[in-house]
């Protein structure tokens, strides 16, 4: 019996390995209908990019970060159509099913992500995913990858209309600023492997820059902050899913 069972176990292990996600994989979350991209684990330098003259003090010091686990990340910001499936309302100032949802408090964003089987990404996961292996302040030409004050006509735009980064993610810069799971601190913690940051603070961290921001705020390392109960029509979010979720 044992000799007959071993090949079956081996085949099962091989099938499981073959189904492990790989860079470039995209899947649809049935709960919100949005696509998620597999982000492999890896290393990157967090903070002010080499040669970037627009950095602020809270982008220093830079530090080398290792993310030992991959994760799925929303290919786009959460749309109003997707948000209404879960929250049953739409708080957005700009109205349109394919527009990113805005005017969402942190707790509502966190609730949405948990309801679809995931969570908000940490600051480090967000920056790693935004950079997608690039080391510059942006992952491409600003006008080609982002909606910001110069080209947005002072409104949000349907998600996924600009060029994606190398991971296949859209609007990581521009359109709406994005909530992260992390509490904001002026200087990063000393954690370098899968950092989680402080357990509590006054503000939550925001990333990415938005439709009304100047170019110096639409960079991969730029950080902003706001109290978790506040909202703005320049703020939205996207969700992360850990491997095995959904």
């Amino acid at each position: 019996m044992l000799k007959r069972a071993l090949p079956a176990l081996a085949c099962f292990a091989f099938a499981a390995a073959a189904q492990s996600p790989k860079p470039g994989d995209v899947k649809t979350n049935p709960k919100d209908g949005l696509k998620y991209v597999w982000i492999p684990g890896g290393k990157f330098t967090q903070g002010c990019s080499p040669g970037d003259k627009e950095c602020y003090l809270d982008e220093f010091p830079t530090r080398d970060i290792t993310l030992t686990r991959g994760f799925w990340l929303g290919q786009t910001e959460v749309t109003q159509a997707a948000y209404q499936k879960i929250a049953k309302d739409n708080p957005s100032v700009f109205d349109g099913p394919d527009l990113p949802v805005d005017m969402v408090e942190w707790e509502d964003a966190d609730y949405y992500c948990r309801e679809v089987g995931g969570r908000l990404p940490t600051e480090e996961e967000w920056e790693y995913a935004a950079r997608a292996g690039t080391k510059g302040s942006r992952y491409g030409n600003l006008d080609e990858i982002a909606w910001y004050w110069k080209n947005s006509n002072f409104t949000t735009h349907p998600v996924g209309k600009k060029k994606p980064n190398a991971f296949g993610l859209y609007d990581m810069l521009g359109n709406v600023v994005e909530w992260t799971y992390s509490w904001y601190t002026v200087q990063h913690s000393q954690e370098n492997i899968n950092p989680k940051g402080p357990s509590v603070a006054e503000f939550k961290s925001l990333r990415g820059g938005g439709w009304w921001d100047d170019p110096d705020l639409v960079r991969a390392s730029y950080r902003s902050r706001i109290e978790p109960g506040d909202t703005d029509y320049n703020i939205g979010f996207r969700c992360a899913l850990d491997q095995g979720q959904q």
Side-chain angles (χ1 to χ4, degrees):
M1 292 293 293
L2 182 60
K3 290 182 179 179
R4 289 196 296 272
L6 283 174
L9 290 172
C11 289
F12 176 80
F14 177 79
Q19 293 174 3
S20 296
K22 59 184 182 299
D25 282 355
V26 179
K27 69 175 182 178
T28 300
N29 186 336
K31 291 188 176 180
D32 63 5
L34 293 180
K35 293 181 178 179
Y36 288 72
V37 176
W38 177 249
I39 309 298
K43 299 180 180 181
F44 78 108
T45 300
Q46 182 182 24
C48 188
S49 305
D52 189 351
K53 305 300 183 183
E54 298 179 305
C55 295
Y56 292 83
L57 290 177
D58 63 356
E59 298 173 52
F60 296 97
T62 61
R63 59 178 184 153
D64 294 329
I65 297 295
T66 299
L67 299 178
T68 62
R69 299 179 293 273
F71 56 98
W72 298 93
L73 189 64
Q75 188 173 42
T76 67
E77 294 153 338
V78 172
T79 63
Q80 293 175 31
Y83 189 80
Q84 286 181 282
K85 288 182 181 180
I86 305 302
K88 309 304 180 186
D89 70 346
N90 183 5
S92 304
V93 169
F94 302 107
D95 186 30
D98 296 327
L99 297 178
V101 67
D102 62 76
M103 295 296 291
V104 179
E105 296 180 10
W106 184 90
E107 287 190 359
D108 290 334
D110 177 64
Y111 170 82
Y112 174 95
C113 290
R114 287 187 286 107
E115 284 294 299
V116 301
R119 57 182 175 79
L120 287 167
T122 66
E123 264 202 275
E124 289 75 18
E125 289 172 332
W126 188 96
E127 186 171 331
Y128 172 72
R131 289 184 177 279
T134 62
K135 299 183 183 301
S137 60
R138 304 176 183 94
Y139 52 83
N141 176 273
L142 183 57
D143 283 299
E144 294 179 349
I145 64 173
W147 300 107
Y148 66 111
W149 77 266
K150 184 179 177 181
N151 63 11
S152 71
N153 199 28
F154 298 103
T155 184
T156 58
H157 288 261
V159 301
K161 299 302 182 182
K162 291 289 187 177
K163 288 185 177 179
N165 68 8
F167 281 149
L169 299 168
Y170 294 88
D171 301 314
M172 290 298 286
L173 299 180
N175 218 5
V176 288
V177 189
E178 299 180 15
W179 286 113
T180 71
Y181 182 81
S182 303
W183 290 101
Y184 173 88
T185 57
V186 175
Q187 290 189 332
H188 295 296
S189 72
Q190 298 304 307
E191 298 174 287
N192 296 103
I193 300 176
N194 302 324
K196 296 181 180 179
S199 58
V200 67
E202 183 178 1
F203 303 105
K204 284 291 185 179
S205 292
L206 298 162
R207 288 304 199 106
W211 57 268
W212 72 357
D213 286 325
D214 292 330
D216 65 315
L217 308 186
V218 190
R219 295 177 296 108
S221 63
Y222 176 70
R223 309 173 67 211
S224 55
R225 64 190 187 275
I226 192 172
E227 293 183 359
D230 288 345
T231 62
D232 195 282
Y233 53 8
N234 195 34
I235 297 176
F237 68 101
R238 73 181 73 210
C239 300
L241 306 173
D242 293 313
Q243 186 174 358
Q245 291 181 310
Q246 286 309 311

